[in-house]
Amino acid sequence: MKKYNVSVIFDKTEKISHIALGKKADLIIIAPATANTIAKLAAGMADNMLNASVLAATCPVVVAPAMNSSMYKNVATKENIDTLVRRGFYIISPATGDLACGDSGEGRMPEPEELFDNICSILAQRLPNRTAPNGLPNYQGQLPSPTRPLELTQTLLLPK
């Protein structure tokens, strides 16, 4: 059995991959975002490639929570989401419906089309953080307006 070393993301200092990913991205979306991932992001942890890349990101970060309803409604999860909103993350509220665990309720990941619509809106500066829990304002800085939004979505978000 092959062993994988987590420190491999930090091995090549001349081109640190987690830093490069965070700097090169136009937008980072985490979908589905588990309660664990949200908690780690809120705590500023960088114990894996995703979290390290997000900490180094200079672009908008979008989080789409998806989990069991009870986990989503838990005070700890709500406070972690509030923390992310205060830091400028965009939050896409989960859908309501059948969940992976067999329950039904709020916590289902939105359909890909809805996620895509939200991403395009964020990139085109049309989406305020309307889904922020507890009515917290969105402190995300103004995004640069794409010069050709249609071309942006066809070439960068949906490569040929």
Side-chain angles (χ1 to χ4, degrees):
M1 178 180 222
K2 185 174 180 180
K3 286 187 174 184
Y4 292 96
N5 185 349
V6 175
S7 67
V8 81
I9 66 172
F10 306 106
D11 283 351
K12 300 195 189 284
T13 55
E14 69 279 354
K15 275 191 169 178
I16 301 175
S17 57
H18 64 288
I19 301 296
L21 286 172
K23 286 183 175 181
K24 289 181 183 179
D26 294 315
L27 180 139
I28 295 173
I29 182 165
I30 304 168
T34 64
N36 185 57
T37 296
I38 291 168
K40 286 182 176 189
L41 290 171
M45 295 178 71
D47 63 342
N48 60 44
M49 184 67 124
L50 172 65
N51 293 348
S53 297
V54 169
L55 278 177
T58 56
C59 63
V61 179
V62 181
V63 176
M67 62 198 74
N68 174 274
S69 299
S70 297
M71 293 174 73
Y72 179 68
K73 293 176 184 176
N74 186 286
V75 173
T77 301
K78 291 296 187 186
E79 288 177 2
N80 288 333
I81 291 172
D82 289 350
T83 297
L84 296 181
V85 170
R86 281 193 304 276
R87 292 181 185 161
F89 287 65
Y90 287 92
I91 308 296
I92 300 173
S93 292
T96 300
D98 293 334
L99 305 174
C101 64
D103 291 349
S104 184
E106 187 177 23
R108 180 181 175 85
M109 190 172 83
E111 293 300 318
E113 296 82 11
E114 183 180 343
L115 295 173
F116 180 75
D117 288 346
N118 279 279
I119 290 167
C120 290
S121 295
I122 290 167
L123 290 174
Q125 295 185 338
R126 291 191 309 261
L127 181 67
N129 198 344
R130 59 182 164 72
T131 58
N134 301 329
L136 290 170
N138 174 24
Y139 294 105
Q140 179 74 40
Q142 290 297 313
L143 304 175
S145 182
T147 53
R148 291 170 284 208
L150 184 58
E151 183 178 308
L152 173 72
T153 60
Q154 290 176 345
T155 60
L156 294 178
L157 298 177
L158 294 174
K160 294 179 178 107

